[in-house]
């Protein structure tokens, strides 16, 4: 079913300015003309604008801005990422679905995406606000052949992907706040949640959850985060295309991931540090049981946070959070 629709879109798109007759479509897809008609109605529901003229045939007038499996796949230039896409209008959390399909054997590179999440999560059981159709709420399933202790590097890789795409596409300067926040103008525009299923020395799968605020206005954020959150629309002053952005993120992710597997983490580290949030500046570090002020020195070769210790020597931290030092603001 899915592949017939994709072939149909391909045929229509090949002949963008010309009509293609119902008979020709039916011959080439080996389905009846009434089946073609049903597919056309479905495509219209997905937001395609299709013109049907008797004695001439069909042509696509406009591709939809709406997210669907088809609209993401159409024009997606990746080799392996997003070959399987699961799109839902409203679900609890794309992470939840991703875990479920991963356990059922879903393939490396499966992408799960939702217009709205009703119970989406950040780190440490925190909530992530995912307003309907205002942002990109997406999980990527990976099955990397790497040691579980290296999985946090994938969070940094993902942050680097988001910052690179945002910097290239929009006239804004994104920073990455270790380990997982993308910041524009001092406010969080995106967050990343990495979850993993692993045995001692083998990863079964990793799920990279990405939440990107795209088209929210200030009043779309709940009160408790209005001072902390921003969106690409707020930062750039205009509404942005979701499908286009998703495709760019997936393509950049695939390139960065493939390069990382070949060249190792130093490749990611260099790019990460070019977006690194206030390297060399004083920060507040919070771990499970303490909080202290220190200097942020960048990230280590393995992705750990590097901060200055009491003797002003670099020290590695693997878990925790940082914040810029308040007096600086
Ligand atoms: P985090 O724990 O670093 O950030 C969560 C904190 O960020 C919240 O406590 C709140 O203060 C603030 N916050 C909540 N929603 C937003 C928002 N929309 N914009 C800015 N700040 C916000 C970050 O966790 C990781 C978030 C990953 C979200 C994705 S969406 C797709 C996937 N599915 C899912 O359930 N989670 C991931």
């Amino acid at each position: 079913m899915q592949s017939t629709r994709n072939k149909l879109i391909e045929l229509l798109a090949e002949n963008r300015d010309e009509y293609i007759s119902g008979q020709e479509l039916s011959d080439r897809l080996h389905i009846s003309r009434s089946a073609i008609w049903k597919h056309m109605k479905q495509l219209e529901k997905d937001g395609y604008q299709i013109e049907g003229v008797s004695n001439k045939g069909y042509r696509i007038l406009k591709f939809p801005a709406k997210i669907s499996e088809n609209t993401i796949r159409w024009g997606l230039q990746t080799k392996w990422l997003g070959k399987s896409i699961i799109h839902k209008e409203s679900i609890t959390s794309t992470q939840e679905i991703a875990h479920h399909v991963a356990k059922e054997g879903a393939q490396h590179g499966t992408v799960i995406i939702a217009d709205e999440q009703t119970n989406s999560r950040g780190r440490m059981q925190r909530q992530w606000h995912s307003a309907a159709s205002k942002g990109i709420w997406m999980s990527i399933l990976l099955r990397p052949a790497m040691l579980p202790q290296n999985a946090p590097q994938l969070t940094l890789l993902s942050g680097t992907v988001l910052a690179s795409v945002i910097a290239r596409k929009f006239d804004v300067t994104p920073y990455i706040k270790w380990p997982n926040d993308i910041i524009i103008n001092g406010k969080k525009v995106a967050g990343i949640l990495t979850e993993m299923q692993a045995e001692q020395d083998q990863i079964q799968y990793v799920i990279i959850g990405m939440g990107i605020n795209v088209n929210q206005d200030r009043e779309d954020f709940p009160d408790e985060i209005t001072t902390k959150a921003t969106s690409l629309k707020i930062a750039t002053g205009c509404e942005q295309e979701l499908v286009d952005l998703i495709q760019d993120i997936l393509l950049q992710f695939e390139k960065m991931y493939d390069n990382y597997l070949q060249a190792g983490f130093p490749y990611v580290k260099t790019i990460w540090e070019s977006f690194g949030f206030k390297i060399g500046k004083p920060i507040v570090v919070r771990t499970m049981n303490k909080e202290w002020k220190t200097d942020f020195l960048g990230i280590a070769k393995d992705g750990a946070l590097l901060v200055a210790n009491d003797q002003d020597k670099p020290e590695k931290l693997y878990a925790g959070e940082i914040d810029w030092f308040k007096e600086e603001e």
Side-chain angles (χ1 to χ4, degrees), residues 238-263:
C238 45
E239 189 118 343
Q240 303 297 343
E241 277 263 359
L242 291 175
V243 173
D244 193 46
L245 185 53
I246 293 165
Q247 290 177 336
D248 270 10
I249 291 169
L250 294 178
L251 183 61
Q252 183 66 17
F253 191 102
E254 182 180 278
K255 282 187 186 160
M256 191 92 69
Y257 182 85
D258 288 345
N259 285 341
Y260 161 70
L261 291 188
Q262 286 211 335

PDB file of all heavy atoms in Angstrom, residues 238-263:
ATOM      1  N   CYS A 238      10.212  34.511  11.570  1.00  0.00           N
ATOM      2  CA  CYS A 238       9.231  33.954  10.624  1.00  0.00           C
ATOM      3  C   CYS A 238       9.006  32.459  10.801  1.00  0.00           C
ATOM      4  O   CYS A 238       9.847  31.738  11.331  1.00  0.00           O
ATOM      5  CB  CYS A 238       9.586  34.276   9.170  1.00  0.00           C
ATOM      6  SG  CYS A 238      11.272  34.033   8.768  1.00  0.00           S
ATOM      7  N   GLU A 239       7.849  32.072  10.347  1.00  0.00           N
ATOM      8  CA  GLU A 239       7.409  30.677  10.398  1.00  0.00           C
ATOM      9  C   GLU A 239       8.355  29.814   9.554  1.00  0.00           C
ATOM     10  O   GLU A 239       8.813  30.271   8.503  1.00  0.00           O
ATOM     11  CB  GLU A 239       5.985  30.640   9.835  1.00  0.00           C
ATOM     12  CG  GLU A 239       5.290  29.353   9.983  1.00  0.00           C
ATOM     13  CD  GLU A 239       4.016  29.471  10.852  1.00  0.00           C
ATOM     14  OE1 GLU A 239       3.818  30.458  11.592  1.00  0.00           O
ATOM     15  OE2 GLU A 239       3.258  28.538  10.776  1.00  0.00           O
ATOM     16  N   GLN A 240       8.653  28.614  10.000  1.00  0.00           N
ATOM     17  CA  GLN A 240       9.581  27.759   9.255  1.00  0.00           C
ATOM     18  C   GLN A 240       8.912  26.461   8.821  1.00  0.00           C
ATOM     19  O   GLN A 240       8.012  25.968   9.483  1.00  0.00           O
ATOM     20  CB  GLN A 240      10.814  27.431  10.127  1.00  0.00           C
ATOM     21  CG  GLN A 240      11.549  28.654  10.634  1.00  0.00           C
ATOM     22  CD  GLN A 240      12.153  29.508   9.511  1.00  0.00           C
ATOM     23  OE1 GLN A 240      12.300  29.053   8.380  1.00  0.00           O
ATOM     24  NE2 GLN A 240      12.469  30.756   9.814  1.00  0.00           N
ATOM     25  N   GLU A 241       9.403  25.937   7.702  1.00  0.00           N
ATOM     26  CA  GLU A 241       8.885  24.681   7.129  1.00  0.00           C
ATOM     27  C   GLU A 241       9.365  23.481   7.939  1.00  0.00           C
ATOM     28  O   GLU A 241      10.578  23.267   8.072  1.00  0.00           O
ATOM     29  CB  GLU A 241       9.475  24.512   5.725  1.00  0.00           C
ATOM     30  CG  GLU A 241       8.748  25.255   4.660  1.00  0.00           C
ATOM     31  CD  GLU A 241       7.774  24.342   3.949  1.00  0.00           C
ATOM     32  OE1 GLU A 241       7.718  23.146   4.297  1.00  0.00           O
ATOM     33  OE2 GLU A 241       7.081  24.816   3.060  1.00  0.00           O
ATOM     34  N   LEU A 242       8.449  22.667   8.424  1.00  0.00           N
ATOM     35  CA  LEU A 242       8.865  21.533   9.249  1.00  0.00           C
ATOM     36  C   LEU A 242       9.484  20.397   8.426  1.00  0.00           C
ATOM     37  O   LEU A 242      10.548  19.873   8.770  1.00  0.00           O
ATOM     38  CB  LEU A 242       7.661  20.973  10.016  1.00  0.00           C
ATOM     39  CG  LEU A 242       7.088  21.858  11.120  1.00  0.00           C
ATOM     40  CD1 LEU A 242       5.841  21.236  11.707  1.00  0.00           C
ATOM     41  CD2 LEU A 242       8.114  22.074  12.211  1.00  0.00           C
ATOM     42  N   VAL A 243       8.838  20.058   7.308  1.00  0.00           N
ATOM     43  CA  VAL A 243       9.301  18.883   6.545  1.00  0.00           C
ATOM     44  C   VAL A 243      10.725  19.095   6.030  1.00  0.00           C
ATOM     45  O   VAL A 243      11.592  18.222   6.150  1.00  0.00           O
ATOM     46  CB  VAL A 243       8.335  18.579   5.374  1.00  0.00           C
ATOM     47  CG1 VAL A 243       8.877  17.472   4.482  1.00  0.00           C
ATOM     48  CG2 VAL A 243       6.963  18.201   5.911  1.00  0.00           C
ATOM     49  N   ASP A 244      10.946  20.261   5.489  1.00  0.00           N
ATOM     50  CA  ASP A 244      12.250  20.615   4.963  1.00  0.00           C
ATOM     51  C   ASP A 244      13.336  20.514   6.044  1.00  0.00           C
ATOM     52  O   ASP A 244      14.421  19.970   5.824  1.00  0.00           O
ATOM     53  CB  ASP A 244      12.098  22.077   4.494  1.00  0.00           C
ATOM     54  CG  ASP A 244      13.238  22.517   3.651  1.00  0.00           C
ATOM     55  OD1 ASP A 244      13.599  21.735   2.773  1.00  0.00           O
ATOM     56  OD2 ASP A 244      13.763  23.614   3.893  1.00  0.00           O
ATOM     57  N   LEU A 245      13.000  21.013   7.211  1.00  0.00           N
ATOM     58  CA  LEU A 245      13.953  20.993   8.321  1.00  0.00           C
ATOM     59  C   LEU A 245      14.226  19.552   8.779  1.00  0.00           C
ATOM     60  O   LEU A 245      15.374  19.179   9.039  1.00  0.00           O
ATOM     61  CB  LEU A 245      13.390  21.851   9.468  1.00  0.00           C
ATOM     62  CG  LEU A 245      14.249  22.081  10.699  1.00  0.00           C
ATOM     63  CD1 LEU A 245      15.629  22.626  10.328  1.00  0.00           C
ATOM     64  CD2 LEU A 245      13.559  23.067  11.650  1.00  0.00           C
ATOM     65  N   ILE A 246      13.187  18.755   8.836  1.00  0.00           N
ATOM     66  CA  ILE A 246      13.360  17.346   9.240  1.00  0.00           C
ATOM     67  C   ILE A 246      14.300  16.641   8.258  1.00  0.00           C
ATOM     68  O   ILE A 246      15.225  15.927   8.646  1.00  0.00           O
ATOM     69  CB  ILE A 246      11.992  16.609   9.260  1.00  0.00           C
ATOM     70  CG1 ILE A 246      11.101  17.172  10.353  1.00  0.00           C
ATOM     71  CG2 ILE A 246      12.177  15.098   9.430  1.00  0.00           C
ATOM     72  CD1 ILE A 246       9.638  16.786  10.241  1.00  0.00           C
ATOM     73  N   GLN A 247      14.071  16.876   6.974  1.00  0.00           N
ATOM     74  CA  GLN A 247      14.911  16.217   5.959  1.00  0.00           C
ATOM     75  C   GLN A 247      16.371  16.645   6.098  1.00  0.00           C
ATOM     76  O   GLN A 247      17.281  15.830   5.982  1.00  0.00           O
ATOM     77  CB  GLN A 247      14.391  16.533   4.558  1.00  0.00           C
ATOM     78  CG  GLN A 247      13.060  15.855   4.282  1.00  0.00           C
ATOM     79  CD  GLN A 247      12.488  16.212   2.926  1.00  0.00           C
ATOM     80  OE1 GLN A 247      12.805  17.259   2.373  1.00  0.00           O
ATOM     81  NE2 GLN A 247      11.632  15.354   2.404  1.00  0.00           N
ATOM     82  N   ASP A 248      16.584  17.927   6.356  1.00  0.00           N
ATOM     83  CA  ASP A 248      17.963  18.420   6.534  1.00  0.00           C
ATOM     84  C   ASP A 248      18.618  17.794   7.756  1.00  0.00           C
ATOM     85  O   ASP A 248      19.797  17.438   7.729  1.00  0.00           O
ATOM     86  CB  ASP A 248      17.952  19.946   6.730  1.00  0.00           C
ATOM     87  CG  ASP A 248      18.071  20.660   5.412  1.00  0.00           C
ATOM     88  OD1 ASP A 248      17.978  19.989   4.375  1.00  0.00           O
ATOM     89  OD2 ASP A 248      18.250  21.892   5.425  1.00  0.00           O
ATOM     90  N   ILE A 249      17.849  17.689   8.826  1.00  0.00           N
ATOM     91  CA  ILE A 249      18.402  17.107  10.059  1.00  0.00           C
ATOM     92  C   ILE A 249      18.771  15.641   9.823  1.00  0.00           C
ATOM     93  O   ILE A 249      19.853  15.185  10.205  1.00  0.00           O
ATOM     94  CB  ILE A 249      17.395  17.243  11.232  1.00  0.00           C
ATOM     95  CG1 ILE A 249      17.258  18.719  11.631  1.00  0.00           C
ATOM     96  CG2 ILE A 249      17.839  16.404  12.430  1.00  0.00           C
ATOM     97  CD1 ILE A 249      16.120  19.014  12.583  1.00  0.00           C
ATOM     98  N   LEU A 250      17.887  14.915   9.148  1.00  0.00           N
ATOM     99  CA  LEU A 250      18.168  13.484   8.915  1.00  0.00           C
ATOM    100  C   LEU A 250      19.402  13.313   8.030  1.00  0.00           C
ATOM    101  O   LEU A 250      20.258  12.466   8.296  1.00  0.00           O
ATOM    102  CB  LEU A 250      16.949  12.776   8.307  1.00  0.00           C
ATOM    103  CG  LEU A 250      15.718  12.696   9.227  1.00  0.00           C
ATOM    104  CD1 LEU A 250      14.554  12.027   8.508  1.00  0.00           C
ATOM    105  CD2 LEU A 250      16.035  11.931  10.514  1.00  0.00           C
ATOM    106  N   LEU A 251      19.507  14.134   7.001  1.00  0.00           N
ATOM    107  CA  LEU A 251      20.656  14.019   6.094  1.00  0.00           C
ATOM    108  C   LEU A 251      21.960  14.347   6.834  1.00  0.00           C
ATOM    109  O   LEU A 251      22.957  13.629   6.733  1.00  0.00           O
ATOM    110  CB  LEU A 251      20.476  14.956   4.888  1.00  0.00           C
ATOM    111  CG  LEU A 251      21.574  14.876   3.838  1.00  0.00           C
ATOM    112  CD1 LEU A 251      21.656  13.475   3.237  1.00  0.00           C
ATOM    113  CD2 LEU A 251      21.345  15.898   2.722  1.00  0.00           C
ATOM    114  N   GLN A 252      21.927  15.417   7.604  1.00  0.00           N
ATOM    115  CA  GLN A 252      23.126  15.820   8.347  1.00  0.00           C
ATOM    116  C   GLN A 252      23.477  14.778   9.410  1.00  0.00           C
ATOM    117  O   GLN A 252      24.635  14.484   9.647  1.00  0.00           O
ATOM    118  CB  GLN A 252      22.863  17.195   8.987  1.00  0.00           C
ATOM    119  CG  GLN A 252      24.029  17.790   9.743  1.00  0.00           C
ATOM    120  CD  GLN A 252      25.204  18.142   8.832  1.00  0.00           C
ATOM    121  OE1 GLN A 252      25.050  18.240   7.620  1.00  0.00           O
ATOM    122  NE2 GLN A 252      26.371  18.290   9.418  1.00  0.00           N
ATOM    123  N   PHE A 253      22.451  14.204  10.027  1.00  0.00           N
ATOM    124  CA  PHE A 253      22.676  13.181  11.047  1.00  0.00           C
ATOM    125  C   PHE A 253      23.382  11.978  10.412  1.00  0.00           C
ATOM    126  O   PHE A 253      24.372  11.464  10.948  1.00  0.00           O
ATOM    127  CB  PHE A 253      21.344  12.750  11.685  1.00  0.00           C
ATOM    128  CG  PHE A 253      21.536  11.899  12.918  1.00  0.00           C
ATOM    129  CD1 PHE A 253      21.393  12.447  14.186  1.00  0.00           C
ATOM    130  CD2 PHE A 253      21.905  10.575  12.820  1.00  0.00           C
ATOM    131  CE1 PHE A 253      21.603  11.690  15.328  1.00  0.00           C
ATOM    132  CE2 PHE A 253      22.114   9.798  13.956  1.00  0.00           C
ATOM    133  CZ  PHE A 253      21.960  10.354  15.210  1.00  0.00           C
ATOM    134  N   GLU A 254      22.864  11.547   9.278  1.00  0.00           N
ATOM    135  CA  GLU A 254      23.457  10.379   8.621  1.00  0.00           C
ATOM    136  C   GLU A 254      24.928  10.635   8.266  1.00  0.00           C
ATOM    137  O   GLU A 254      25.798   9.796   8.510  1.00  0.00           O
ATOM    138  CB  GLU A 254      22.653  10.029   7.361  1.00  0.00           C
ATOM    139  CG  GLU A 254      23.187   8.805   6.662  1.00  0.00           C
ATOM    140  CD  GLU A 254      22.401   8.461   5.412  1.00  0.00           C
ATOM    141  OE1 GLU A 254      21.346   7.821   5.540  1.00  0.00           O
ATOM    142  OE2 GLU A 254      22.837   8.838   4.308  1.00  0.00           O
ATOM    143  N   LYS A 255      25.206  11.817   7.716  1.00  0.00           N
ATOM    144  CA  LYS A 255      26.595  12.139   7.329  1.00  0.00           C
ATOM    145  C   LYS A 255      27.501  12.151   8.555  1.00  0.00           C
ATOM    146  O   LYS A 255      28.577  11.576   8.551  1.00  0.00           O
ATOM    147  CB  LYS A 255      26.645  13.539   6.686  1.00  0.00           C
ATOM    148  CG  LYS A 255      26.160  13.558   5.266  1.00  0.00           C
ATOM    149  CD  LYS A 255      26.409  14.948   4.693  1.00  0.00           C
ATOM    150  CE  LYS A 255      25.820  15.077   3.306  1.00  0.00           C
ATOM    151  NZ  LYS A 255      25.621  16.454   2.909  1.00  0.00           N
ATOM    152  N   MET A 256      27.023  12.828   9.596  1.00  0.00           N
ATOM    153  CA  MET A 256      27.845  12.973  10.795  1.00  0.00           C
ATOM    154  C   MET A 256      28.066  11.611  11.459  1.00  0.00           C
ATOM    155  O   MET A 256      29.158  11.294  11.913  1.00  0.00           O
ATOM    156  CB  MET A 256      27.120  13.936  11.737  1.00  0.00           C
ATOM    157  CG  MET A 256      27.883  14.411  12.891  1.00  0.00           C
ATOM    158  SD  MET A 256      28.792  15.944  12.697  1.00  0.00           S
ATOM    159  CE  MET A 256      27.708  17.252  12.555  1.00  0.00           C
ATOM    160  N   TYR A 257      27.041  10.792  11.495  1.00  0.00           N
ATOM    161  CA  TYR A 257      27.130   9.466  12.120  1.00  0.00           C
ATOM    162  C   TYR A 257      28.102   8.582  11.342  1.00  0.00           C
ATOM    163  O   TYR A 257      28.966   7.926  11.923  1.00  0.00           O
ATOM    164  CB  TYR A 257      25.733   8.850  12.157  1.00  0.00           C
ATOM    165  CG  TYR A 257      25.659   7.497  12.820  1.00  0.00           C
ATOM    166  CD1 TYR A 257      25.530   7.394  14.202  1.00  0.00           C
ATOM    167  CD2 TYR A 257      25.698   6.328  12.080  1.00  0.00           C
ATOM    168  CE1 TYR A 257      25.450   6.158  14.826  1.00  0.00           C
ATOM    169  CE2 TYR A 257      25.620   5.084  12.690  1.00  0.00           C
ATOM    170  CZ  TYR A 257      25.489   5.010  14.064  1.00  0.00           C
ATOM    171  OH  TYR A 257      25.415   3.775  14.666  1.00  0.00           O
ATOM    172  N   ASP A 258      27.985   8.581  10.016  1.00  0.00           N
ATOM    173  CA  ASP A 258      28.888   7.764   9.199  1.00  0.00           C
ATOM    174  C   ASP A 258      30.336   8.240   9.365  1.00  0.00           C
ATOM    175  O   ASP A 258      31.249   7.425   9.487  1.00  0.00           O
ATOM    176  CB  ASP A 258      28.481   7.798   7.713  1.00  0.00           C
ATOM    177  CG  ASP A 258      27.203   6.993   7.460  1.00  0.00           C
ATOM    178  OD1 ASP A 258      26.816   6.195   8.343  1.00  0.00           O
ATOM    179  OD2 ASP A 258      26.592   7.160   6.388  1.00  0.00           O
ATOM    180  N   ASN A 259      30.544   9.549   9.400  1.00  0.00           N
ATOM    181  CA  ASN A 259      31.900  10.074   9.607  1.00  0.00           C
ATOM    182  C   ASN A 259      32.432   9.713  10.987  1.00  0.00           C
ATOM    183  O   ASN A 259      33.612   9.404  11.155  1.00  0.00           O
ATOM    184  CB  ASN A 259      31.922  11.607   9.458  1.00  0.00           C
ATOM    185  CG  ASN A 259      31.826  12.006   8.013  1.00  0.00           C
ATOM    186  OD1 ASN A 259      32.083  11.207   7.113  1.00  0.00           O
ATOM    187  ND2 ASN A 259      31.440  13.237   7.764  1.00  0.00           N
ATOM    188  N   TYR A 260      31.546   9.772  11.970  1.00  0.00           N
ATOM    189  CA  TYR A 260      31.930   9.423  13.348  1.00  0.00           C
ATOM    190  C   TYR A 260      32.387   7.962  13.420  1.00  0.00           C
ATOM    191  O   TYR A 260      33.400   7.643  14.040  1.00  0.00           O
ATOM    192  CB  TYR A 260      30.734   9.692  14.258  1.00  0.00           C
ATOM    193  CG  TYR A 260      30.755   9.009  15.597  1.00  0.00           C
ATOM    194  CD1 TYR A 260      31.664   9.397  16.592  1.00  0.00           C
ATOM    195  CD2 TYR A 260      29.852   7.995  15.902  1.00  0.00           C
ATOM    196  CE1 TYR A 260      31.663   8.778  17.833  1.00  0.00           C
ATOM    197  CE2 TYR A 260      29.851   7.375  17.130  1.00  0.00           C
ATOM    198  CZ  TYR A 260      30.754   7.767  18.094  1.00  0.00           C
ATOM    199  OH  TYR A 260      30.766   7.148  19.322  1.00  0.00           O
ATOM    200  N   LEU A 261      31.658   7.076  12.756  1.00  0.00           N
ATOM    201  CA  LEU A 261      32.045   5.661  12.780  1.00  0.00           C
ATOM    202  C   LEU A 261      33.405   5.459  12.127  1.00  0.00           C
ATOM    203  O   LEU A 261      34.200   4.643  12.557  1.00  0.00           O
ATOM    204  CB  LEU A 261      31.005   4.786  12.084  1.00  0.00           C
ATOM    205  CG  LEU A 261      29.652   4.643  12.772  1.00  0.00           C
ATOM    206  CD1 LEU A 261      28.805   3.593  12.076  1.00  0.00           C
ATOM    207  CD2 LEU A 261      29.790   4.286  14.257  1.00  0.00           C
ATOM    208  N   GLN A 262      33.685   6.237  11.106  1.00  0.00           N
ATOM    209  CA  GLN A 262      34.972   6.101  10.407  1.00  0.00           C
ATOM    210  C   GLN A 262      36.110   6.800  11.134  1.00  0.00           C
ATOM    211  O   GLN A 262      37.189   6.254  11.292  1.00  0.00           O
ATOM    212  CB  GLN A 262      34.859   6.745   9.025  1.00  0.00           C
ATOM    213  CG  GLN A 262      34.055   5.901   8.075  1.00  0.00           C
ATOM    214  CD  GLN A 262      34.549   6.077   6.663  1.00  0.00           C
ATOM    215  OE1 GLN A 262      35.137   7.109   6.343  1.00  0.00           O
ATOM    216  NE2 GLN A 262      34.323   5.083   5.834  1.00  0.00           N
ATOM    217  N   ALA A 263      35.851   8.036  11.564  1.00  0.00           N
ATOM    218  CA  ALA A 263      36.955   8.869  12.069  1.00  0.00           C
ATOM    219  C   ALA A 263      37.007   8.933  13.589  1.00  0.00           C
ATOM    220  O   ALA A 263      37.964   9.441  14.158  1.00  0.00           O
ATOM    221  CB  ALA A 263      36.823  10.285  11.502  1.00  0.00           C
TER     222      ALA A 263
END
